[in-house]
Amino acid sequence: MVTSRLSEKLSIVLALMLAVSHLYSGGKITGAVTYEGSVPRMKAIRMGADPICQAKHESPIRSEWLLVGEKGEVGNVFVYIKEGLGDKSFPVPENPVVLDQKGCIYSPHIFGIQASQPLEVLNSDGTLHNVHAVAKANRSFNEAMPAVRKKITKTFDQPEIMVRIKCDVHPWMGSYAGVLNHPYFAVTGEDGVFEIKNLPPGKYTVEAWHERLRTRTATVTVKDEETATVDFKFTRPGKKK
């Protein structure tokens, strides 16, 4: 009798384990983003207007709007699932995304966050900053962060690609947030590579967004426990007529 009950319990546990493993299994999309064409030289940022900012850097800091490696690899590209998830809903992470003001630069420059997930903005500089989120689908905010104010917490309630964040005190400071109602996004590193994991099987539209080079899209089919590959290539946009 005891053996029979134990077997039943083991069967239930195994069934639950199989169900959970199936729930969390999925496919993966990987790829690389490259740039073709002449690379403009990034100008040095002039921080002399704020001696505290200037003192934090031993050498000049250059703009981050285009990061291109020796082989054309592009960093700071936001890659995300644009279409294909249908009406699926996903839990909102309780852990915050952290945006730091350090060296009078926003770090990270490009990041993703889920709608309603906390965004912690830090002031690690010991000087006055002004965090100004310029949103369209979401409510904009404009908060002063003097040296003694080390952290503020904000949220974006609606998906929006992208929300620009700037500092009105230091005009060279800028960051962009990709707000989504799902967790399937990534930002390319210096090697230009991205990875989006744990995707349910399906056909997706993937978009790569760059703050100056606009967007590229591709259609990708993802199978369970398999890796699909898609690459994106950007070129320098022509002058507007």
Side-chain angles (χ1 to χ4, degrees), residues 122-136:
L122 307 182
N123 183 356
S124 299
D125 280 332
T127 191
L128 172 66
H129 287 301
N130 193 82
V131 185
H132 188 176
V134 184
K136 295 181 179 179

Side-chain angles (χ1 to χ4, degrees), residues 78 113-115 138 156 158-163 177-181:
F78 186 70
I113 189 170
Q114 282 186 239
N138 288 279
F156 300 110
Q158 303 295 327
E160 183 172 349
I161 306 294
M162 304 281 284
V163 177
V179 186
L180 296 168
N181 57 6

Side-chain angles (χ1 to χ4, degrees), residues 19-229:
V20 170
S21 66
H22 178 74
L23 179 64
Y24 287 99
S25 65
K28 180 167 62 175
I29 298 176
T30 63
V33 179
T34 55
Y35 176 89
E36 187 177 73
S38 60
V39 181
R41 179 173 171 78
M42 297 294 101
K43 295 181 179 179
I45 298 172
R46 297 180 180 179
M47 297 186 179
D50 190 332
I52 294 177
C53 294
Q54 192 169 27
K56 292 182 179 295
H57 302 281
E58 296 180 357
S59 58
I61 299 298
R62 298 190 178 275
S63 174
E64 294 181 292
W65 75 260
L66 182 59
L67 298 181
V68 180
E70 294 181 356
K71 298 180 180 180
E73 54 270 34
V74 186
N76 279 341
V77 178
F78 186 70
V79 185
Y80 69 102
I81 300 300
K82 184 175 184 179
E83 297 176 356
L85 291 168
D87 58 356
K88 295 183 178 69
S89 60
F90 302 90
V92 177
E94 295 181 0
N95 292 334
V97 171
V98 177
L99 176 65
D100 199 0
Q101 297 165 107
K102 190 172 183 179
C104 297
I105 297 292
Y106 281 120
S107 179
H109 182 60
I110 307 292
F111 66 94
I113 189 170
Q114 282 186 239
S116 299
Q117 183 178 6
L119 171 66
E120 283 189 357
V121 185
L122 307 182
N123 183 356
S124 299
D125 280 332
T127 191
L128 172 66
H129 287 301
N130 193 82
V131 185
H132 188 176
V134 184
K136 295 181 179 179
N138 288 279
R139 180 179 297 179
S140 298
F141 60 83
N142 195 346
E143 294 256 2
M145 292 190 72
V148 295
R149 195 178 187 190
K150 299 301 183 183
K151 181 176 73 174
I152 60 174
T153 303
K154 297 291 184 179
T155 58
F156 300 110
D157 296 328
Q158 303 295 327
E160 183 172 349
I161 306 294
M162 304 281 284
V163 177
R164 183 188 174 203
I165 301 173
K166 62 179 183 174
C167 176
D168 295 330
V169 179
H170 307 107
W172 63 82
M173 291 179 64
S175 181
Y176 291 88
V179 186
L180 296 168
N181 57 6
H182 61 75
Y184 301 115
F185 53 82
V187 178
T188 59
E190 292 182 357
D191 58 1
V193 173
F194 68 90
E195 181 180 79
I196 301 175
K197 299 186 293 185
N198 301 322
L199 269 164
K203 187 175 182 180
Y204 299 102
T205 298
V206 184
E207 183 164 273
W209 178 97
H210 186 275
E211 63 185 280
R212 296 281 187 91
L213 305 179
R214 303 169 187 167
T215 61
R216 296 287 187 272
T217 58
T219 300
V220 183
T221 298
V222 175
K223 296 181 180 181
D224 198 22
E225 297 184 352
E226 293 187 10
T227 298
T229 302

